[in-house]
Amino acid sequence: MNPEDRVRCPWSVDSQIYRDYHDQEWGRPLHGDDALFERLCLETFQAGLSWITILRKRPAFRAAFDGFTIGRVAEFDQADRERLLADAGIVRNRAKVEACIANAKVARDLDIGLDELLWSFAPPPRPRPRALADIPAITPESTALAKELKRRGFRFVGPTTAYALMQATGMVDDHLAECWVDSTT
């Protein structure tokens, strides 16, 4: 089958960058503290913006935030903050930049790994949704995750951002039932 003829989730068909993200990353289980930290930061930066904006800027984000290596970002100082706020390649929002740096410090100092913490809130598997209208914006699990992250000192992570993170990293499978992607692989 021609890859362009595959049935995809409707949100992913408008651009090649969305198709690639949908087909190769979104909803597939992701592990690793730094990899999950990157997604947490990108979801934070996405709040109030289009996801395609973040995808287009992702290479610049990775360069600006030292590959989202938790230990490195946790050591960012005022000069790094000013550098980030002057970088036109990323989203230059002071609150989001500060949150990413603060969250790196919290993640570095966790008593368990970030991977273990985040995945402990993954709900049991459920049937795939049949339509976009069947996909929630928040769930009890995303609300609980957001509360726990805030309790531990994380910033800029509410239930909606937490659910988007859960979707992006395969903690939940919100590919539509008819979508070709097998997110278990």
Side-chain angles (χ1 to χ4, degrees), residues 2-159:
N2 180 341
E4 294 310 310
D5 294 335
R6 293 176 173 161
V7 176
R8 292 177 171 84
C9 299
W11 62 264
S12 71
V13 298
D14 289 338
S15 73
Q16 189 63 48
I17 195 168
Y18 268 154
R19 280 190 298 279
D20 291 345
Y21 177 67
H22 170 271
D23 292 359
Q24 299 165 20
E25 295 182 62
W26 190 77
R28 295 179 186 264
L30 180 69
H31 289 280
D33 291 349
D34 292 335
L36 287 164
F37 176 68
E38 173 184 358
R39 296 296 180 83
L40 178 65
C41 288
L42 294 178
E43 293 295 345
T44 296
F45 276 103
Q46 186 274 329
L49 301 172
S50 169
W51 184 242
I52 201 162
T53 300
I54 303 305
L55 287 176
R56 286 180 179 143
K57 292 178 176 276
R58 186 156 64 166
F61 272 114
R62 286 176 170 163
F65 282 93
D66 267 346
F68 290 99
T69 303
I70 293 169
R72 289 187 203 142
V73 178
E75 297 299 320
F76 279 12
D77 59 16
Q78 190 57 38
D80 291 303
R81 286 173 176 79
E82 295 307 318
R83 172 183 57 80
L84 293 167
L85 292 170
D87 187 340
I90 67 168
V91 174
R92 296 177 290 177
N93 177 298
R94 184 175 298 278
K96 293 175 182 182
V97 167
E98 293 290 343
C100 187
I101 296 168
N103 290 348
K105 292 176 184 182
V106 174
R108 177 194 62 197
D109 297 338
L110 287 172
D111 55 341
I112 61 173
L114 183 61
D115 185 309
E116 183 180 347
L117 173 63
L118 295 177
W119 275 90
S120 73
F121 288 87
R126 64 184 193 313
R128 284 179 157 190
R130 300 190 69 62
L132 289 178
D134 297 333
I135 300 173
I138 62 171
T139 62
E141 293 87 1
S142 73
T143 300
L145 174 56
K147 284 181 182 177
E148 180 61 14
L149 291 173
K150 286 181 182 178
R151 186 188 74 76
R152 290 177 177 263
F154 284 88
R155 300 183 196 171
F156 229 104
V157 185

